[in-house]
């Protein structure tokens, strides 16, 4: 490996994967652990059906292209942000190297950043050619080629023009959120620092809800256990986002714990925050009620989802030695959902989750002493 390539990989590729470990863990969770065998098929069958739908439905293929493009844009934003940091100013020394060689090096950087997409593309191409779906498989390959080539060219452009900056996603806040409510601090952090993870989570949850409820007749199909299983998988996927939020609170807003605010008022503030975070799913559920969901079922999904979010928040009042220990707890909650689904006790489990969230919060809030664990993120 050349010195320039090693320098670029250590400066751009490795920090990118460290910073986005939460997002990648969440995607891995919903694509593997969130599937399981509760629906009667294995993980391989699930992904085969997913790829088949992608290669046979043009609308689904376009949706996948949009997701891949969003991931590539996030990679471009990270590279541009790194180049604008004084600590990475040494990368501009690459301008002294032959431009063609610089482009080849940055193309390798782009390929490494898109490695999760490229890995899945291999399976897409294999299944596409095996099933004779040549056109969509080739289109997927050409799309990634264009993204890689254009991304490397964009990085060269940024090197040659230090003042340039990529397109940014900025949120225009309503007037009421400009006031210093504690909830607004939390929402600002999610939408400014965790927007990619937030958007991926909401896209999965809302799309899963919409597709599972499409064409359902609540009078003829009263069993919602399978829908509740996939819904809970998406809600538990918020755990990584909530963990990052708590890390921010423990490091940047620790003063709030010393303010004269009652525990009950603090809990109400968190309830309001997670209600706002849960709004996309609430809107999706409301849009499918009563055509595809009875009012009782819609109320269950809202209560169940909010209870999971509050329970994940209360579990943050414990110190975890590493990320694996935290994800083990999240996985245990998912197993509890599976057990409740098999035993037809989902309604009882939703009440238990909500009651447990309240109990843990009131018991642990002032007993919790945050510790900095560099192994987490």
């Amino acid at each position: 490996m050349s010195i320039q390539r090693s320098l670029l990989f250590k400066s751009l590729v490795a920090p990118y994967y460290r910073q986005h470990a939460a997002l990648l863990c969440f995607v891995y969770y919903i694509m593997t652990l969130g599937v399981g065998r509760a629906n009667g098929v294995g993980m391989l069958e699930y992904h085969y059906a997913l790829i088949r739908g992608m290669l046979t439905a043009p609308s689904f293929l376009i949706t996948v292209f949009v997701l891949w493009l969003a991931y590539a844009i996030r990679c471009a934003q990270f590279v541009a942000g790194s180049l604008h940091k004084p600590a990475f100013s040494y990368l501009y020394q690459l301008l002294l190297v032959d431009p063609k060689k610089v482009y080849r090096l940055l193309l390798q950087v782009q390929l490494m950043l898109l490695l999760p997409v490229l890995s899945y593309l291999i399976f897409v191409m294999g299944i596409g050619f095996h099933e004779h779906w040549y056109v969509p498989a080739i289109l997927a390959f050409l799309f990634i080629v264009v993204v890689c080539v254009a991304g490397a060219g964009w990085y060269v452009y940024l090197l040659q023009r230090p003042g340039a900056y990529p397109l940014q996603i900025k949120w225009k806040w309503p007037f009421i959120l400009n006031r210093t409510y504690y909830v607004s601090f939390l929402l600002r952090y999610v939408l400014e620092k965790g927007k990619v993870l937030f958007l991926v989570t909401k896209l999965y949850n809302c799309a899963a809800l919409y597709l599972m409820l499409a064409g359902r007749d609540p009078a003829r199909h009263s069993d919602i256990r399978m829908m509740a299983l996939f819904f809970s998988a998406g809600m538990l996927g918020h755990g990584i986002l909530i963990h990052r939020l708590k890390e921010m609170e423990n490091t940047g807003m620790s003063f709030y714990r010393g303010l004269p605010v009652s525990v009950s008022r603090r809990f109400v503030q968190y309830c309001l925050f997670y209600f706002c975070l849960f709004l996309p799913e609430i809107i999706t559920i409301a849009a499918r009620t009563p055509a595809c969901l009875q009012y009782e079922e819609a109320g269950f999904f809202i209560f169940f989802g909010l209870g999971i979010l509050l329970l994940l928040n209360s579990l943050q009042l414990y110190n975890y030695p590493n990320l694996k220990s935290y994800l083990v707890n999240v996985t245990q909650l998912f197993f509890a959902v599976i057990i409740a689904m098999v035993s037809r006790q989902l309604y009882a489990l939703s009440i238990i989750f909500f009651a447990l969230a309240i109990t843990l919060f009131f018991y642990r809030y002032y007993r919790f002493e945050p510790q900095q664990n560099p192994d987490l993120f």
Side-chain angles (χ1 to χ4, degrees):
M1 180 181 292
S2 66
I3 297 177
Q4 293 95 340
R5 186 188 302 118
S6 176
L7 187 66
L8 284 171
F9 282 11
K10 292 180 180 179
S11 302
L12 299 176
V13 178
Y16 174 83
Y17 282 106
R18 281 198 300 267
Q19 180 174 328
H20 294 83
L23 174 62
L24 297 176
C25 286
F26 170 73
V27 174
Y28 175 79
Y29 170 79
I30 64 175
M31 297 296 284
T32 56
L33 300 178
V35 177
R37 292 182 173 271
N39 55 353
V41 299
M43 186 176 65
L44 294 179
E45 292 84 350
Y46 168 78
H47 284 284
Y48 176 80
L50 196 66
I51 294 175
R52 182 180 61 186
M54 169 185 168
L55 296 178
T56 56
S59 59
F60 192 13
L61 183 63
I62 293 174
T63 303
V64 173
F65 285 174
V66 171
L67 292 176
W68 287 352
L69 181 61
Y71 180 80
I73 291 175
R74 178 52 192 159
C75 294
Q77 288 180 328
F78 178 84
V79 171
S82 299
L83 292 176
H84 280 76
K85 294 178 181 178
F88 292 90
S89 59
Y90 59 86
L91 292 177
Y92 289 97
Q93 298 298 320
L94 291 172
L95 294 174
L96 303 177
V97 184
D98 179 54
K100 294 182 179 179
K101 182 178 181 180
V102 174
Y103 178 82
R104 289 196 298 269
L105 290 171
L106 291 174
L107 180 59
Q108 295 175 32
V109 170
Q110 178 73 342
L111 291 174
M112 292 301 297
L113 293 176
L114 293 178
L115 192 58
V117 175
L118 294 175
S119 301
Y120 205 74
L121 179 65
I122 294 175
F123 296 100
V124 172
M125 295 288 294
I127 293 177
F129 279 90
H130 181 267
E131 299 291 343
H132 307 291
W133 297 322
Y134 300 112
V135 175
I138 293 174
L139 284 177
F141 175 76
L142 292 177
F143 179 82
I144 293 300
V145 170
V146 171
V147 169
C148 292
V149 171
W154 176 248
Y155 301 154
V156 174
Y157 173 85
L158 293 175
L159 277 177
Q160 295 175 345
R161 295 165 178 80
Y165 208 80
L167 295 175
Q168 295 181 336
I169 301 176
K170 294 186 177 181
W171 308 88
K172 185 176 180 181
W173 290 94
F175 173 76
I176 189 173
L177 292 181
N178 289 328
R179 300 185 61 180
T180 55
Y181 297 110
Y182 188 72
V183 175
S184 66
F185 285 119
L186 301 179
L187 289 173
R188 283 179 180 273
Y189 175 81
V190 170
L191 297 181
E192 291 179 7
K193 301 298 183 181
K195 51 180 171 285
V196 176
L197 185 56
F198 172 78
L199 291 174
V200 171
T201 307
K202 294 305 168 184
L203 181 63
Y204 168 81
N205 250 16
C206 294
L209 274 173
Y210 189 87
L211 294 175
M212 286 189 299
L213 293 174
R216 177 179 183 266
D217 185 0
R220 297 177 57 187
H221 304 90
S222 58
D223 192 353
I224 61 172
R225 291 180 297 163
M226 190 56 61
M227 290 185 293
L229 179 67
F230 281 92
F231 175 72
S232 65
M235 297 309 302
L236 290 171
H238 288 75
I240 297 178
L241 179 63
I242 293 172
H243 173 72
R244 294 181 61 179
L245 180 67
K246 278 297 179 180
E247 286 289 301
M248 181 277 297
E249 288 187 89
N250 294 335
T251 55
M253 302 187 67
S254 57
F255 66 90
Y256 181 70
R257 293 173 58 85
L259 296 180
V261 181
S262 64
V263 181
S264 57
R265 184 174 179 181
R266 294 174 193 268
F267 183 77
V268 171
Q269 290 174 339
Y270 281 113
C271 288
L272 178 60
F273 165 69
Y274 287 112
F275 178 81
C276 296
L277 203 66
F278 193 42
L279 272 178
E281 287 88 348
I282 294 178
I283 294 174
T284 304
I285 293 172
R288 310 300 283 178
T289 306
C292 302
L293 272 179
Q294 296 179 357
Y295 289 106
E296 176 188 353
E297 296 169 338
F300 162 74
F301 278 110
I302 294 175
F303 183 77
F304 190 37
L306 188 60
I308 291 177
L309 292 178
L310 291 174
L311 180 56
L312 291 173
N313 178 74
S314 297
L315 288 176
Q316 292 299 317
L317 298 177
Y318 292 88
N319 286 306
Y320 298 95
N322 49 52
L323 178 60
K324 182 180 179 180
S325 300
Y326 169 69
L327 292 179
V328 166
N329 283 354
V330 176
T331 306
Q332 289 172 345
L333 293 179
F334 184 67
F335 288 152
V337 175
I338 295 177
I339 295 173
M341 181 194 72
V342 174
S343 59
R344 299 179 181 270
Q345 298 297 326
L346 284 173
Y347 283 81
L349 183 68
S350 65
I351 298 175
I352 293 173
F353 276 3
F354 201 88
L356 189 60
I358 297 175
T359 303
L360 288 179
F361 186 87
F362 279 82
Y363 178 76
R364 288 288 304 174
Y365 190 83
Y366 284 119
R367 291 176 172 83
F368 171 64
E369 291 295 336
Q371 299 175 1
Q372 296 304 314
N373 293 314
D375 292 337
L376 288 175
F377 289 105

